[in-house]
Amino acid sequence: MKETIALSNMSSEEARQYAENIADTVRNALLVLDGNLRVRSANRSFYQQFKVTAAETENHLIFELGNGQWDIPDLRRLLEKIILEKITIEDFEVQHRFEQIGERVMRLNARRIQREQGQPRLILLAIEDITESFAVHHALQKSEKKYHKFVEEINSVIISFDQRGRITFFNRCSEKLFGYCRDEAIGKPFVGTVIPLVDSSGNDNSDLTEKMISNPEKYYEYECETRRRDGSVIWISWNAKEERDVNGAVSEIIIDGNDITELKKIRQRNQEELKRSEQRLQRALGIETLGVHFFDMKNTFTGANDAFLRMIGHDRQALERGELRSDCVTSAEWMPRTWQAFEELKTTGRFSPYEKELIRPDGSRWWGLFAGTRLGENEAVEFVIDITDRKLGEKALQRRTEELASSNRSLEAFSYSVSHDLRNPLHTIGSFADFLIDDYSERLDEEGRNYLRRIVSGVKKMQVLIDDMLNLSRLGRQDMKREDTNLSDIVRDYLQELKTTEPARQTEFVIQDNLHAKADKRMTHLALENLLRNAWKFTSKREVTRIEFGSIVKDNQIVYFVRDNGVGFNMQCAGRIFEPFKRVHAENEFAGTGVGLSIVHQVVERHDGKVWAEGETGKGATFYFTIG
């Protein structure tokens, strides 16, 4: 009141000086404009801020200052309205490039100065540089937009609730996952909307939000069952973070979570599989014939099943005392191989199965087949099967093999004897019988000539029999050379050869083209010759001889066959038809040695195949065979 009285007593010059002093102390730039918007005066802050002088400013139109830097259309309109309509400008922001100070953001406030009647109208224009605060505010807005966009678009559930447990935020992922729209979810209780009051295991969640607010750290990492709007169950893994007010009290809980329903199912399946695996392991450990033991990287046995302890002849007390190692149970000559397997285990995590001989405390020896794998940094497991009986069998087999080799050598000697010691005398007998027939048949009566013919026939039959026996004996010892063999060509060529022996016979040959097999050509040729010769022989009494060669597919395997329209055979004889010297027909009906089909059988067996026959008396026969 006293200051008001003092001012009223001042002269106009004193009052002007007083006002100017006040204006110069204000930090914001101030301009006083007349009714024509010409600058009447400016304070010190204006000159300092815009780097201009009083001469460059006073008595100049505001729009002329700084090469027209204040000639801003919106500002011009507002200032003119102040003159005409007595309005005020409040917090008008303008972003502009100023001549001396560059790009800036200014906040303008302006109003008419109340003056006595008749005095010129004046405008007070206050200019505040808000460039820095504007940049901070703009950056904050941009950051908030990014944050909200991130929160909305992230593929995670983000939900918040307040002290009352009411949902305050519900992002887009939450909408999709739970089936509630945001407006519908906000305001609803978190427990009862997202979290069931009672879950499927019977757990009561009614006080969950209170617990989270009172002890948020406990729920920072948490998994729980949630419910969709349709009632279906999903599992969420979340991180919970509290927001606190100025007093430090928890005002809000923010949850960031992900759907782990499938992961829970996988975990459950893995747990069930682990349980089954443990059960299988326990059953395996209980197998009487499978030894299992565990050992560390110092090769000390740390555990074993009863079967293993029984195999090595030690008791469980020795195992528990740590007294058992590989060198305690393995014979000395097999320890280098044991250490080799141990080094392989340390390097690769497993070792290949190997056999070795072991020794028990009572001195008895046994053979085991070992395989092992590493379980961790300092533990491994080894599986053992007692193969002593097999090794004894192998030794017995080896002895038998040596005996068979000796028998084969004897058989080879016999074959040589047959080939040379028997064949030569037969040849001599046959030759002299031929000479007698040629040179002396006229001196013999019919009975004598018949004796000579029977001698020649018997010699020829014996020679054929010797050849067949030699072929049969050689097949088991002959080396095989498998190669692509055209069976159709072999059949075609041999049937033509048979045809030349009886040109007058009426024949019909049906041969499937391009039947191939991976087989030994020489052996295959011998087998097919015997089958075709058989068919040729047993069709000799037919008006037309029909022989067919082809293939069928049975059980995904090619089966070849030779079929004829000959006399056939009784199927009761099918079981012995491939045995040596077993004949189905009398020799006076059809000549032969009874060895040919035995040769076929052995050739097919050498090729890991099967051979069988089907026939009917008077209706022909079919011989089938496969090549493995």
Side-chain angles (χ1 to χ4, degrees):
M1 187 67 180
K2 290 180 179 180
E3 290 180 356
T4 304
I5 295 172
L7 285 172
S8 64
N9 294 327
M10 288 182 184
S11 65
S12 59
E13 179 61 28
E14 288 175 334
R16 186 183 66 80
Q17 188 66 40
Y18 181 77
E20 288 180 355
N21 288 335
I22 293 174
D24 281 340
T25 62
V26 177
R27 296 182 62 183
N28 292 338
L30 296 176
L31 286 176
V32 177
L33 307 176
D34 62 17
N36 297 318
L37 303 181
R38 190 178 297 276
V39 179
R40 295 286 298 274
S41 64
N43 70 344
R44 185 181 298 129
S45 293
F46 180 84
Y47 297 129
Q48 291 175 346
Q49 188 170 335
F50 293 97
K51 303 185 187 307
V52 292
T53 65
E56 295 171 328
T57 305
E58 293 180 3
N59 295 318
H60 291 275
L61 291 173
I62 186 172
F63 307 118
E64 297 174 347
L65 298 181
N67 293 325
Q69 64 186 8
W70 288 98
D71 191 6
I72 302 169
D74 287 343
L75 177 62
R76 180 189 289 268
R77 283 193 297 272
L78 288 172
L79 292 175
E80 288 174 349
K81 289 183 73 173
I82 290 176
I83 296 297
L84 298 174
E85 302 177 15
K86 298 182 181 181
I87 66 170
T88 61
I89 299 176
E90 293 183 355
D91 297 333
F92 174 69
E93 292 182 1
V94 58
Q95 187 170 353
H96 192 69
R97 176 170 291 281
F98 295 91
E99 188 175 71
Q100 297 295 331
I101 60 176
E103 186 80 19
R104 310 295 288 179
V105 179
M106 300 295 180
R107 179 182 290 137
L108 307 180
N109 287 276
R111 62 180 297 144
R112 281 177 57 176
I113 299 174
Q114 297 294 328
R115 307 196 72 191
E116 294 180 4
Q117 188 71 24
Q119 290 184 330
R121 289 173 292 182
L122 298 177
I123 298 173
L124 178 62
L125 176 63
I127 305 168
E128 180 185 0
D129 187 346
I130 61 168
T131 305
E132 292 183 3
S133 62
F134 180 83
V136 170
H137 178 70
H138 183 70
L140 182 60
Q141 284 183 323
K142 189 175 180 180
S143 176
E144 286 179 351
K145 285 181 181 179
K146 283 185 177 179
Y147 171 75
H148 283 293
K149 184 177 181 182
F150 172 77
V151 167
E152 286 299 332
E153 295 183 1
I154 191 173
N155 192 28
S156 295
V157 169
I158 298 180
I159 302 173
S160 63
F161 59 85
D162 59 19
Q163 291 174 319
R164 298 179 303 152
R166 300 283 175 173
I167 296 173
T168 57
F169 183 78
F170 206 74
N171 74 338
R172 191 173 301 161
C173 180
S174 302
E175 290 180 316
K176 292 179 181 178
L177 189 62
F178 294 106
Y180 295 97
C181 66
R182 179 177 307 171
D183 293 341
E184 188 179 11
I186 290 176
K188 285 189 174 183
F190 179 64
V191 175
T193 303
V194 173
I195 306 292
L197 288 168
V198 179
D199 64 24
S200 56
S201 299
N203 297 315
D204 184 359
N205 296 317
S206 58
D207 59 349
L208 178 62
T209 53
E210 290 85 349
K211 290 178 179 178
M212 293 177 70
I213 290 170
S214 62
N215 189 9
E217 293 81 7
K218 181 180 178 181
Y219 298 91
Y220 178 70
E221 292 183 355
Y222 196 67
E223 292 182 3
C224 72
E225 177 186 314
T226 63
R227 295 281 172 85
R228 289 191 176 99
R229 183 172 187 168
D230 62 9
S232 57
V233 174
I234 52 176
W235 279 83
I236 298 292
S237 172
W238 77 47
N239 294 325
K241 181 71 173 66
E242 76 276 13
E243 288 291 323
R244 297 183 181 272
D245 59 21
V246 293
N247 298 318
V250 175
S251 59
E252 196 172 45
I253 297 292
I254 301 173
I255 290 171
D256 169 16
N258 290 286
D259 181 358
I260 59 167
T261 307
E262 290 303 316
L263 180 60
K264 289 284 288 186
K265 292 178 181 178
I266 292 171
R267 285 178 185 168
Q268 185 175 357
R269 287 196 296 267
N270 289 344
Q271 289 173 352
E272 291 172 355
E273 181 59 33
L274 178 61
K275 185 176 180 180
R276 286 193 294 268
S277 297
E278 289 175 347
Q279 291 172 346
R280 287 195 292 266
L281 177 60
Q282 291 302 318
R283 287 197 295 269
L285 292 175
I287 296 175
E288 293 293 324
T289 56
L290 178 65
V292 182
H293 78 98
F294 302 88
F295 58 96
D296 60 24
M297 291 300 103
K298 295 180 181 179
N299 209 8
T300 301
F301 298 171
T302 58
N305 69 345
D306 292 339
F308 179 74
L309 293 174
R310 188 165 52 253
M311 289 176 184
I312 63 175
H314 287 271
D315 56 29
R316 191 164 294 279
Q317 286 72 27
L319 175 69
E320 293 170 352
R321 289 193 298 268
E323 298 174 357
L324 301 183
R325 294 167 45 89
S326 289
D327 51 7
C328 300
V329 298
T330 305
S331 55
E333 62 269 26
W334 281 96
M335 278 309 299
R337 180 64 183 91
T338 302
W339 292 124
Q340 179 185 342
F342 189 65
E343 290 302 318
E344 183 183 353
L345 177 74
K346 290 195 292 185
T347 304
T348 66
R350 60 182 298 275
F351 62 80
S352 304
Y354 75 101
E355 301 173 0
K356 68 177 179 180
E357 189 180 36
L358 300 95
I359 187 167
R360 298 186 179 93
D362 62 5
S364 60
R365 291 175 176 261
W366 63 286
W367 281 85
L369 173 64
F370 290 79
T373 186
R374 198 163 182 166
L375 298 178
E377 187 66 25
N378 194 41
E379 189 176 28
V381 62
E382 192 169 48
F383 301 93
V384 190
I385 297 175
D386 187 340
I387 58 170
T388 306
D389 291 341
R390 195 199 80 191
K391 297 296 285 188
L392 293 174
E394 287 175 356
K395 288 183 178 180
L397 181 61
Q398 184 177 0
R399 286 195 300 270
R400 179 60 179 157
T401 302
E402 291 172 355
E403 292 171 358
L404 286 174
S406 176
S407 298
N408 283 336
R409 288 191 293 271
S410 300
L411 183 58
E412 287 176 4
F414 171 73
S415 298
Y416 181 85
S417 174
V418 168
S419 179
H420 295 82
D421 298 344
L422 293 181
R423 186 175 286 178
N424 289 339
L426 279 174
H427 180 70
T428 301
I429 293 170
S431 297
F432 279 113
D434 287 337
F435 290 152
L436 287 173
I437 291 173
D438 291 340
D439 298 337
Y440 297 96
S441 60
E442 293 180 356
R443 300 182 185 182
L444 297 174
D445 57 14
E446 184 58 34
E447 187 176 1
R449 287 192 293 271
N450 185 47
Y451 288 155
L452 285 176
R453 285 192 292 270
R454 290 173 67 181
I455 290 172
V456 171
S457 176
V459 167
K460 289 181 180 179
K461 187 184 295 183
M462 190 65 179
Q463 287 175 333
V464 171
L465 181 59
I466 290 171
D467 289 338
D468 286 346
M469 289 177 63
L470 287 174
N471 284 332
L472 187 61
S473 66
R474 290 192 191 107
L475 284 173
R477 307 187 308 276
Q478 184 174 312
D479 291 335
M480 283 182 60
K481 180 184 178 184
R482 284 186 182 252
E483 55 187 315
D484 183 62
T485 304
N486 191 324
L487 305 182
S488 299
D489 285 350
I490 294 174
V491 171
R492 188 177 291 106
D493 292 344
Y494 193 68
L495 284 176
Q496 290 303 319
E497 184 178 330
L498 289 173
K499 175 69 174 175
T500 60
T501 62
E502 295 182 57
R505 191 195 287 200
Q506 295 293 313
T507 59
E508 180 185 347
F509 300 146
V510 180
I511 303 169
Q512 184 176 335
D513 289 330
N514 294 318
L515 287 181
H516 290 251
K518 198 79 171 177
D520 184 282
K521 282 187 178 180
R522 185 172 49 180
M523 290 188 186
T524 308
H525 202 288
L526 182 60
L528 286 171
E529 280 185 7
N530 277 280
L531 287 173
L532 296 170
R533 194 184 304 125
N534 221 44
W536 182 259
K537 177 172 59 177
F538 290 112
T539 56
S540 60
K541 296 181 180 181
R542 299 300 187 191
E543 290 185 8
V544 177
T545 291
R546 190 179 193 281
I547 299 175
E548 181 183 355
F549 174 70
S551 70
I552 60 173
V553 176
K554 184 178 181 180
D555 298 330
N556 295 321
Q557 186 178 25
I558 296 176
V559 179
Y560 307 95
F561 65 84
V562 174
R563 181 177 291 125
D564 64 62
N565 65 338
V567 297
F569 63 89
N570 189 329
M571 280 298 290
Q572 292 181 350
C573 304
R576 57 187 178 89
I577 201 169
F578 295 101
E579 297 178 15
F581 311 115
K582 299 291 185 180
R583 300 176 58 87
V584 177
H585 302 281
E587 188 176 357
N588 58 1
E589 290 184 275
F590 298 99
T593 62
V595 178
L597 291 179
S598 299
I599 292 174
V600 173
H601 184 266
Q602 191 152 348
V603 168
V604 173
E605 276 199 340
R606 286 295 305 275
H607 285 82
D608 300 321
K610 294 180 180 179
V611 61
W612 67 96
E614 295 177 1
E616 186 176 351
T617 303
K619 294 186 178 181
T622 304
F623 288 83
Y624 298 94
F625 66 94
T626 63
I627 293 178

